[in-house]
């Protein structure tokens, strides 16, 4: 057939032309084999990239092997061009241990630091912000590297796309955003995805250069991306590239292509990137028929040989201990003793000092959040930090919680640490997806730590209304892979924050706003650590166990101060995940009664789980039902008299006395 693509090899030598051909041919032949295996039931699912190989291969060959690429479902050519052993890819698709996720995730939902590839998650958009974080690390370390990240035209409809491009532009990050416009997001055509003529047009709105390339022309892709990558290495900035291409098969094989007009499929089949390039190389006398046959024979042999290795590999044996041990990266706590010199500090001062000392200790720690730089944050916790550490490490962010959590994840992938300040804990909803689906699951999925602390100013009692008063810890204690810390005192907050930053796992660090300036305590002035997962026994007694945290600790202390006849164990949990169940059980077995106080509304809160744990593990020792006390089942009201009625604070004493009398 006559080539329907116009090629211009420019100064590309014949050796590179042949390599481009080989690198496109290999994923095509692997896919053809996988489609057979899919029909035989030997793999569970397949997302075809047939017709789009030139993009994956051209971009990957244009980048250096140490530069990160964040591909999608249809970018098999990224993985094969980076020379990942095929038996490992085949094991991955068969859910075997020699893959990259130990059978825990499928297809291309994995990453590998060995090959500098960071795979996608099904939510698509988060990887764009993650690319920002990796590029930020490159910028901060002056590596002069570019990061390439892929998405489809459908993914550009997600908020993550807009947030990531905006952040990259504001911070001038060295990212190439690669949009594969293949005509359909599953069955939804582009005309139902966006109204602008081209996706590349959006680059103007973010103040970045943008280009449209023929995604089926391997020479155009390779030469243009090579030129852009070299330019970005010298002058860091983001670039948006739209690749015009087409998906020749279904979104995944089960969905088919019945919704695609036949004439459209026929037209694009004439632009097959592999077939056209093969014909071009023959015409240019770069590729002989003998060479072509030999290349294909080598690839067939490689596929079959590696398939046998994957088939011969033992199936994974489920092991509960193994699964549980991989949810978190192992963290060996190292205790740093507090010195004898102390100073009376408010909770807010202790957090600020602890954060400052961690910045001094960890040169690779970056703080990000709205208004945290010169302004010092809305609570002034980072006041003076810019002067001490510079704007590169203390970064004001646009209002884009999702992209900033993702960028923090990217920093972690690139070997750095990040602290993200949510201006208010309520606003984490705008970044919820990357917290619970990216940070929480990365280590379990592909052994990648998420070295991120998210600071969460939270809580009622300050007449701030429904959107600035929530204490939403239960959203995260439910999610395996996250740690949740909730101190009530300055001493605890400073030591626990230091440990949270040391810990390579993602930590949600709750700071009660009403306690910021109302609670004072003598606090060691030097750096020290406290272990996560250890409760504090504030009072000892034999009549009842009071279990609480955060503001609830001070409500309970106030109640006991006013009722000195009550002889109680008072447990300040401090850490909600991990939870100190040993301290809880030991106390309840001693007292025989337990009451759990939380500020959050009752249903679905952590008090419910603690109650269930006590019932399961201490039932024989109980002299009364476990009691939970929590706030009303309403959003948090603004005006004082309604907020006072809402809070559990006013209900606790009555419930405590009733349980004592049971």
């Amino acid at each position: 057939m006559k080539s329907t693509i116009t090629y211009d090899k420019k100064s590309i030598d014949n050796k590179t032309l042949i390599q481009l051909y080989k690198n496109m041919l290999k994923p095509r032949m692997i896919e053809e084999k996988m489609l057979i295996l899919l029909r035989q039931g030997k793999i569970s699912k397949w997302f075809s990239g047939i017709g789009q190989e030139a993009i994956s291969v051209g971009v990957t060959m244009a980048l250096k092997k140490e530069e990160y690429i964040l591909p999608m479902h249809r970018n098999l050519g990224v993985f094969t061009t980076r020379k990942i052993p095929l038996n490992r890819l085949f094991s991955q698709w068969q859910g075997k241990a020699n893959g990259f996720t130990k059978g825990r995730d499928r297809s291309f939902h994995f990453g590998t630091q060995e090959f500098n590839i960071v795979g996608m998650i099904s939510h698509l958009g988060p990887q764009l912000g993650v690319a920002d974080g990796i590029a930020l690390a490159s910028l901060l370390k002056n590596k002069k590297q570019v990061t390439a990240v892929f998405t489809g035209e459908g993914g550009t409809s997600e908020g993550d796309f807009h947030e990531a491009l905006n952040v990259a532009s504001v911070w001038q990050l060295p990212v190439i955003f690669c949009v594969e416009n293949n005509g359909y997001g599953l069955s939804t055509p582009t005309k139902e995805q966006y109204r602008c003529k081209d996706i590349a047009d959006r680059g103007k709105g973010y103040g970045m250069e943008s280009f449209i390339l023929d995604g089926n022309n391997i020479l155009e892709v390779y030469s243009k991306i090579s030129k852009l990558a070299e330019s970005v290495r010298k002058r860091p900035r983001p670039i948006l590239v739209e690749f015009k291409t087409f998906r020749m098969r279904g979104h995944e094989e089960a969905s088919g292509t019945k919704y695609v007009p036949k004439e459209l499929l026929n037209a694009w089949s004439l632009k097959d990137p592999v077939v056209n390039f093969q014909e071009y190389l023959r015409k240019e006398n770069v590729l002989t028929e003998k060479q072509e046959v030999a290349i294909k024979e080598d690839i067939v042999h490689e596929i079959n040989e590696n398939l046998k290795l994957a088939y011969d590999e033992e199936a994974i044996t489920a092991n509960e201990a193994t699964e549980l041990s991989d949810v978190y990266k192992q963290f060996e706590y190292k205790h740093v003793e507090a010195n004898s010199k102390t100073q009376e500090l408010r909770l807010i001062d202790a957090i600020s000092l602890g954060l400052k000392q961690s910045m001094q200790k960890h040169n690779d720690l970056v703080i990000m959040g709205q208004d945290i730089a010169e302004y010092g944050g809305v609570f002034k916790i980072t006041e003076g930090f810019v002067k001490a550490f510079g704007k590169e490490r203390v970064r004001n962010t646009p209002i884009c919680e999702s992209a900033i959590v993702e960028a923090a994840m990217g920093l972690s992938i690139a070997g750095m640490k990040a602290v993200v300040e949510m201006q208010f804990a309520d606003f984490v909803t705008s970044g919820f997806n990357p917290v619970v689906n990216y940070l929480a699951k990365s280590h379990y999925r592909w052994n990648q730590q998420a070295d991120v602390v998210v600071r969460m100013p939270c809580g009622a009692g300050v007449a701030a209304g429904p959107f600035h008063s929530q204490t939403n810890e239960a959203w995260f204690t439910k999610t395996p892979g996250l740690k949740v810390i909730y101190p009530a005192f300055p001493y605890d907050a400073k030591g626990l924050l230091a440990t949270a930053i040391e810990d390579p796992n993602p930590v949600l660090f709750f700071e009660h706003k009403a306690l910021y300036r109302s609670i004072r305590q003598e606090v060691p002035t030097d750096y020290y650590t406290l272990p996560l997962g250890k409760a504090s026994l504030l009072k000892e007694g034999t009549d009842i166990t009071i279990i609480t945290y955060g503001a609830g600790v001070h409500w309970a202390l106030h109640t006991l101060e006013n009722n000195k006849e009550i002889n109680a164990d008072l447990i300040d949990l401090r850490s909600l995940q991990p939870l100190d169940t040993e301290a809880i059980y030991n106390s309840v077995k001693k007292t025989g009664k337990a009451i759990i106080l939380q500020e959050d509304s009752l249903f679905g809160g952590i008090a419910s789980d603690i109650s269930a744990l006590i019932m399961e593990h201490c039932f024989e020792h109980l002299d009364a039902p476990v009691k939970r006390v929590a706030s009303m089942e309403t959003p948090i009201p603004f005006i004082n008299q309604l907020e006072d009625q809402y809070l559990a604070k006013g209900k606790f004493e009555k419930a405590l006395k009733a349980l004592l009398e049971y």
Side-chain angles (χ1 to χ4, degrees), residues 532-560:
L532 309 186
K534 292 294 183 183
S536 177
L537 184 61
L538 300 180
K539 286 186 176 293
E540 291 191 60
T542 55
D543 296 342
I544 195 166
T545 298
I546 302 170
I547 304 161
T548 187
Y549 56 95
V553 172
H554 300 283
W555 301 342
L557 283 169
H558 180 75
T559 299
L560 293 177

Side-chain angles (χ1 to χ4, degrees), residues 75 116 168 173 282 446 606:
N75 298 124
N116 292 302
L173 300 175
R282 281 180 177 174
W446 60 282
I606 192 170

Side-chain angles (χ1 to χ4, degrees), residues 37-198:
L37 297 181
L38 182 70
R39 289 192 290 272
Q40 294 174 347
K42 293 181 179 178
I43 57 173
S44 65
K45 200 160 189 169
W46 191 258
F47 295 87
S48 177
I50 288 177
Q52 298 181 207
E53 294 92 346
I55 305 170
S56 300
V57 172
V59 171
T60 306
M61 286 187 64
L63 265 61
K64 298 175 180 178
K65 65 179 183 179
E66 64 269 18
E67 293 176 320
Y68 281 93
I69 302 180
L70 293 86
M72 295 277 285
H73 280 128
R74 303 181 210 292
N75 298 124
L76 172 58
V78 171
F79 298 87
T80 52
T81 303
R82 280 276 165 101
K83 295 183 169 42
I84 290 182
L86 294 191
N87 66 303
R88 294 205 66 191
L89 283 177
F90 298 154
S91 291
Q92 171 67 22
W93 301 334
Q94 293 177 32
K96 292 188 174 179
N98 195 42
F100 295 89
T101 63
K102 302 181 183 178
R104 294 164 183 163
D105 213 337
R106 61 187 183 183
S107 63
F108 297 99
H109 291 201
F110 70 91
T112 160
Q113 288 282 10
E114 182 182 355
F115 297 95
N116 292 302
I117 293 174
V118 179
M120 60 175 294
I121 68 170
S122 294
H123 301 72
L124 307 181
Q127 68 184 40
L128 296 157
V130 172
D132 282 353
I134 294 172
L136 174 60
S138 173
L139 204 63
L140 295 175
K141 295 177 180 180
N142 196 30
K143 285 189 169 183
K144 301 187 186 307
Q145 292 177 352
V146 65
T147 299
V149 59
F150 286 83
T151 191
E153 83 292 331
T156 67
S157 298
E158 291 192 305
D160 299 79
F161 173 81
H162 303 279
E163 291 190 17
L165 264 65
N166 189 48
V167 169
S169 183
V170 170
W171 290 353
Q172 287 293 280
L173 300 175
V175 184
I176 298 178
F177 294 97
C178 304
V179 180
E180 295 180 292
N181 190 342
N182 63 20
Y184 288 86
L186 209 158
S187 69
T188 304
T190 54
K191 66 183 179 182
E192 296 178 28
Q193 288 283 359
Y194 55 88
R195 290 299 293 268
C196 54
K197 181 176 181 294
D198 298 297

Side-chain angles (χ1 to χ4, degrees), residues 395-653:
R395 306 186 75 90
N396 271 345
T397 71
I399 301 175
C400 53
E401 286 81 4
S402 195
I404 298 309
V405 172
E406 291 155 12
M409 181 69 214
L411 286 171
S412 180
I413 288 171
M416 299 184 72
K417 288 179 175 287
V419 170
V420 175
E421 179 185 296
M422 290 291 152
Q423 198 166 74
F424 293 87
D426 312 66
F427 298 167
V428 76
T429 49
S430 295
F432 194 70
N433 178 34
V435 173
V436 301
N437 284 314
Y438 213 118
L439 301 187
K441 295 177 173 63
S442 288
H443 189 264
Y444 175 74
R445 287 172 55 243
W446 60 282
N447 201 37
Q448 173 57 53
Q449 67 192 50
D451 201 343
V452 179
V453 174
V454 183
R455 290 185 41 244
M456 302 278 283
C458 66
V462 291
F467 304 120
H468 297 76
S469 305
Q470 295 175 87
T471 174
N472 42 22
E473 65 279 355
W475 299 349
F476 305 105
T477 53
K478 166 64 184 161
T479 306
L482 299 176
K483 295 187 178 183
V484 181
I485 308 302
Y486 204 143
F489 293 98
Y491 172 81
D492 292 338
K494 185 169 182 277
L496 290 169
L497 180 59
T499 306
I501 292 170
E502 293 274 5
D503 195 320
N505 295 286
V507 180
L508 279 296
F509 195 87
F510 284 82
E511 306 165 6
H512 202 290
K513 304 189 304 292
L515 305 182
Y516 267 159
R517 291 175 171 85
S518 64
I519 301 301
R520 294 174 176 270
Q521 192 180 32
E522 288 292 322
V523 178
T525 54
D526 281 356
Y527 181 90
Y528 64 93
T529 60
L530 291 172
L532 309 186
K534 292 294 183 183
S536 177
L537 184 61
L538 300 180
K539 286 186 176 293
E540 291 191 60
T542 55
D543 296 342
I544 195 166
T545 298
I546 302 170
I547 304 161
T548 187
Y549 56 95
V553 172
H554 300 283
W555 301 342
L557 283 169
H558 180 75
T559 299
L560 293 177
E561 185 63 30
N562 291 338
N563 296 271
K564 296 187 183 296
E565 73 281 3
I566 297 177
N567 194 338
D569 265 8
L570 174 57
I571 297 175
D572 174 7
L573 292 173
R574 302 194 298 187
S575 172
L576 307 182
Q577 182 60 265
L579 184 68
D580 191 350
T581 53
E582 182 181 2
I584 294 169
Y585 299 158
N586 287 343
S587 176
V588 173
K589 288 175 182 178
K590 178 182 70 172
T591 66
K593 292 182 179 180
I595 185 167
I596 309 158
L597 172 62
Q598 69 182 31
E599 181 177 332
D600 193 11
S601 55
L602 185 64
F603 191 83
I606 192 170
S608 300
D609 275 289
I610 294 173
S611 173
L613 286 168
I614 292 170
M615 292 296 288
E616 290 170 8
H617 294 274
C618 308
F619 182 76
E620 302 87 350
H621 300 271
L622 290 173
D623 298 322
V626 178
K627 179 67 179 174
R628 297 169 297 151
V629 182
S631 297
M632 286 175 61
E633 298 289 328
T634 69
I636 304 169
F638 150 60
I639 199 69
N640 286 339
Q641 56 269 35
L642 295 180
E643 189 180 42
D644 289 343
Q645 175 183 256
Y646 164 84
L647 286 170
K649 180 180 181 180
K651 309 170 189 176
F652 177 65
E653 184 174 336

Side-chain angles (χ1 to χ4, degrees), residues 310-324:
Y311 286 145
D312 290 347
E313 186 183 346
E314 292 290 327
I316 284 177
T317 302
N319 182 291
E320 185 176 342
T322 300
E323 293 300 287
L324 291 172

